[in-house]
Amino acid sequence: MPFAPSRGHRRRPPGGRLGRVVIGLGEQQTLTVRIAVCVKQIPDPANPGRLDPDTKTLVRDEKLILDESDSYGVEMALQMAEATEGEVVVVSMAPNEEFGGLRTALAMGADRAILVSDEALAGSDALGTAKVLAAAIRRAEPDLILAATESTDGYTGTVPVQVAELLDLPSVTFAKSVSLGDGEVTVLRQTEDGYDEVACPLPAVLSVTAGVVEPRYPSFKGIMAAKNKPADRLGIADLGIEAGEVGWAGARQEIVEVAPVPAREAGEILTDDGSGHERIVAYLEELKIL
Amino acid sequence: MGVGTVWVHVEPAPGGVASISLELLAAARRFGDAVEAVCSGGDADAVSAAVGEHGASLLRHLERPAEALVGPLLAASLAAAVAGSDDPPAVILAATTYDGRDVAGRLSARLDTPVITNVTELAVTDGALVGIEPVFGGTTNVHTRFTGAGPHVFLVRPKSFQATSVGGAPAQVVALPAADCGAGGAARVIGSHAEQSTGPKLDEAAVVVSGGRGLGEAGKYEMIEQLAGLLGGAAGASRAIVDAGWVPYSQQVGQTGKVVKPDVYIACGISGATQHLVGMKNSRNIVAVNKDSEAPIFGVADLGIVGDVHQVLPRLIEALQARD
């Protein structure tokens, strides 16, 4: 079920944060929702880089792109913003001021970006990343924070709830459907044997599963517009974060070994000549499945 | 010898606890001096019997209001219990499940302690517990240990350890007091829905048949369900067709999604992206059908058929039906 904005939007008094006046609600009221979307810029999964066994760090040769998992949160935020005259802020932490993935999100339609890039962040783990994202998100004062359930490359899946805990906000993870209501969201949350319906007051952090909405492709107009959209480029000092809280020191863990996994033994590969199914039946018989 | 007391987050299930929780208890017994369970919700007697049989001496049980999500309340209560304990745990294990990640993530932020995630193996080196995590689609293992103070939190992937009963008596039950989790606990569960499924569960089935983009269109997924049914197995899917909306997320096999380890895994029209391989490459036997002979799935297949699923599957289904 796609995201469906409900009728009762959050209302703000005139002169509120975004100050947009919406006519047609009986009286003059602003009706806005500001959504922060956490996005990760990752090496193209088709070319994921490698771990250097000596330095035990990820070697990335390619430019970074928007993690496809995050495109769903961006799309959901855009749909909510379009329905409520809201604003979408994309927030990312990346090395070397990498901006390619954020530019994609801006080209899709996000209004502005916050990028945190700092040499002291090298080696940051999920909690360190969450501290940085939480501090950056706090500056944006969003009503709703969206993230993917996990990144494609690191796949820890803990950052959204760590951000929520650091910001003292409720969270609903593994959202497969989200409806925006008046000061709250109703979420269908994936469970082991089905789903729960969860009501959550705003502000809140949601992690959304891939496929929850259909991400749009950036239009040519969007790509051109992205070049002139505002972007805050911050270091950790701007966020009041000490170097020892993040990076290798903050991670308080060390990689002691990087070991290749022995490849599976090569199997029997044959080209179907119309009897391939017979070989499968015979194989299942050998395994006593049949 | 051991690394100290280990607390294991167990998840209630009808009649006891989830199978992944028993796997965690088996892992904890290997290196823990004492193994204690923590659980939110469920029937305390049934949970204590299940965890006791699998080696836990103690069960800390949190009475969870039906409308509360597991993560925020349990994490806050655990953090308070750790802070107030005379014998705080050296290690806390949770599983890479929907609730396990919520608990570990929030607990980590509360205690300001990192988490080692996606662990598929644990080892003790120089007295410290090392978590082993597969990266790059399972082609490389990274061994990581903590350098700071405990408790050390590890998130373990399902199917990594073999659950084994030690025939223990029910664990002693002590109440875990509910802590105030403030605004973090403000979400309310207002309804629960079970999705109807027939046949064995995806992560417990002896045979799993999965379909991918090579099926071409949503309607063709019926072939996968039919084949799974004929083999007494469960039907799975690659991320590509879950994202496309052909099948629900609960059927996804892979890094995101379920980890499966059946006797036979049959991949149909699945190219074998690293995302998918992480979830199935430890299956005991793998059959792949794909028209692209260069598809990475053939790199892990014991039997690979280079062919069109639209040709091979109908013939296979017909052949199996003829046997019945």
Side-chain angles (χ1 to χ4, degrees):
Chain A
M1 183 164 42
F3 150 68
S6 66
R7 292 304 305 161
H9 300 311
R10 188 173 193 190
R11 297 188 178 96
R12 292 180 188 285
R17 212 177 43 209
L18 292 182
R20 288 199 186 100
V21 177
V22 177
I23 310 297
L25 290 171
E27 52 188 298
Q28 286 198 339
Q29 283 172 323
T30 53
L31 168 165
T32 66
V33 57
R34 181 181 292 160
I35 305 154
V37 188
C38 301
V39 302
K40 188 171 183 185
Q41 305 175 83
I42 63 167
D44 190 334
N47 187 4
R50 60 194 167 82
L51 277 174
D52 183 321
D54 296 324
T55 63
K56 301 183 176 89
T57 51
L58 189 60
V59 180
R60 292 165 156 161
D61 305 320
E62 300 289 314
K63 289 190 96 60
L64 303 186
I65 62 169
L66 178 67
D67 188 340
E68 193 202 342
S69 305
D70 292 322
S71 61
Y72 302 94
V74 173
E75 176 62 37
M76 180 180 283
L78 292 174
Q79 291 184 18
M80 288 178 174
E82 283 159 6
T84 63
E85 301 208 7
E87 185 191 27
V88 177
V89 185
V90 283
V91 183
S92 188
M93 170 182 133
N96 308 321
E97 304 218 7
E98 285 277 358
F99 202 77
L102 284 171
R103 192 170 294 114
T104 302
L106 293 175
M108 287 171 72
D111 297 286
R112 60 189 175 95
I114 301 176
L115 171 65
V116 187
S117 202
D118 199 305
E119 281 176 16
L121 293 171
S124 291
D125 71 335
L127 183 57
T129 304
K131 287 176 181 175
V132 169
L133 291 175
I137 289 164
R138 201 177 271 127
R139 289 166 69 103
E141 295 185 11
D143 302 293
L144 180 62
I145 298 131
L146 298 179
T149 56
E150 64 186 33
S151 64
T152 300
D153 60 344
Y155 73 112
T156 68
T158 56
V159 171
V161 286
Q162 287 169 324
V163 166
E165 186 70 34
L166 291 167
L167 294 173
D168 193 22
L169 292 179
S171 57
V172 187
T173 50
F174 292 94
K176 56 181 217 154
S177 165
V178 180
S179 304
L180 181 63
D182 191 0
E184 70 167 19
V185 282
T186 305
V187 178
L188 301 187
R189 177 183 189 249
Q190 188 73 45
T191 60
E192 293 299 334
D193 51 10
Y195 61 93
D196 282 347
E197 189 175 353
V198 183
C200 185
L202 299 179
V205 178
L206 307 182
S207 79
V208 300
T209 60
V212 66
V213 285
E214 176 131 6
R216 67 194 68 185
Y217 289 103
S219 64
F220 179 71
K221 202 175 143 196
I223 292 167
M224 298 310 289
K227 294 177 178 166
N228 296 317
K229 287 183 174 174
D232 282 341
R233 294 166 192 264
L234 307 172
I236 59 169
D238 301 311
L239 297 172
I241 292 173
E242 304 277 337
E245 293 178 69
V246 292
W248 290 110
R252 291 162 287 165
Q253 54 197 275
E254 61 177 348
I255 294 174
V256 292
E257 193 179 337
V258 174
V261 176
R264 235 181 135 101
E265 244 178 77
E268 171 193 347
I269 309 294
L270 55 95
T271 301
D272 181 42
D273 58 359
S275 68
H277 62 287
E278 291 170 13
R279 181 66 194 98
I280 297 177
V281 170
Y283 183 71
L284 296 175
E285 281 174 341
E286 286 165 36
L287 297 174
K288 304 203 183 331
I289 297 293
L290 294 176
Chain B
M1 180 205 105
V3 297
T5 300
V6 181
W7 287 9
V8 177
H9 170 228
V10 302
E11 302 181 37
V17 298
S19 55
I20 171 63
S21 301
L22 302 178
E23 294 166 24
L24 292 186
L25 290 167
R29 285 203 316 271
R30 292 211 325 225
F31 56 81
D33 293 312
V35 175
E36 300 174 0
V38 294
C39 182
S40 167
D43 173 43
D45 290 337
V47 173
S48 90
V51 300
E53 190 192 333
H54 286 257
S57 57
L58 188 79
L59 167 65
R60 286 181 178 77
H61 186 255
L62 174 71
E63 286 292 342
R64 179 173 66 94
E67 73 276 11
L69 287 171
V70 170
L73 183 60
L74 182 56
S77 306
L78 274 178
V82 168
S85 173
D86 299 331
D87 174 30
V91 170
I92 299 176
L93 298 185
T96 310
T97 55
Y98 302 117
D99 286 337
R101 294 210 267 200
D102 278 11
V103 172
R106 282 198 174 258
L107 182 64
S108 132
R110 277 221 167 215
L111 296 175
D112 191 28
T113 178
V115 186
I116 293 178
T117 53
N118 287 312
V119 170
T120 56
E121 179 61 288
L122 290 157
V124 178
T125 308
D126 301 332
L129 195 57
V130 174
I132 299 168
E133 170 200 358
V135 297
F136 301 147
T139 56
T140 305
N141 279 337
V142 176
H143 301 228
T144 310
R145 73 176 170 207
F146 291 103
T147 55
H152 294 151
V153 185
F154 293 85
L155 268 172
V156 178
R157 290 185 74 81
K159 307 283 180 203
S160 300
F161 295 90
Q162 178 77 44
T164 45
S165 164
V166 291
Q172 182 196 345
V173 181
V174 295
L176 177 65
D180 177 12
C181 51
R188 301 177 329 279
V189 179
I190 54 178
S192 283
H193 307 265
E195 275 168 357
Q196 294 300 322
S197 64
T198 50
K201 287 175 69 175
L202 182 56
D203 50 359
E204 291 171 6
V207 178
V208 172
V209 185
S210 285
R213 213 194 296 266
L215 292 170
E217 55 181 293
K220 298 290 183 191
Y221 189 77
E222 266 180 30
M223 291 194 297
I224 302 299
E225 289 171 327
Q226 201 177 356
L227 190 51
L230 285 164
L231 295 170
S238 73
R239 175 169 165 178
I241 68 168
V242 172
D243 287 2
W246 297 3
V247 275
Y249 181 75
S250 52
Q251 275 170 275
Q252 183 169 324
V253 173
Q255 177 180 303
T256 322
K258 297 273 196 313
V259 178
V260 300
K261 207 171 171 179
D263 292 334
V264 184
Y265 187 87
I266 306 179
C268 307
I270 292 177
S271 65
T274 54
Q275 147 75 233
H276 189 72
L277 296 181
V278 168
M280 47 64 73
K281 73 193 283 274
N282 290 325
S283 302
R284 276 174 278 279
N285 301 282
I286 298 172
V287 179
V289 182
N290 198 298
K291 65 182 176 192
D292 175 10
S293 64
E294 300 295 314
I297 193 75
F298 289 123
V300 299
D302 299 293
L303 173 63
I305 307 292
V306 181
D308 185 350
V309 289
H310 302 99
Q311 304 285 326
V312 178
L313 296 192
R315 290 189 194 124
L316 180 57
I317 288 167
E318 200 176 317
L320 292 173
Q321 282 170 335
R323 298 170 64 94
D324 284 348

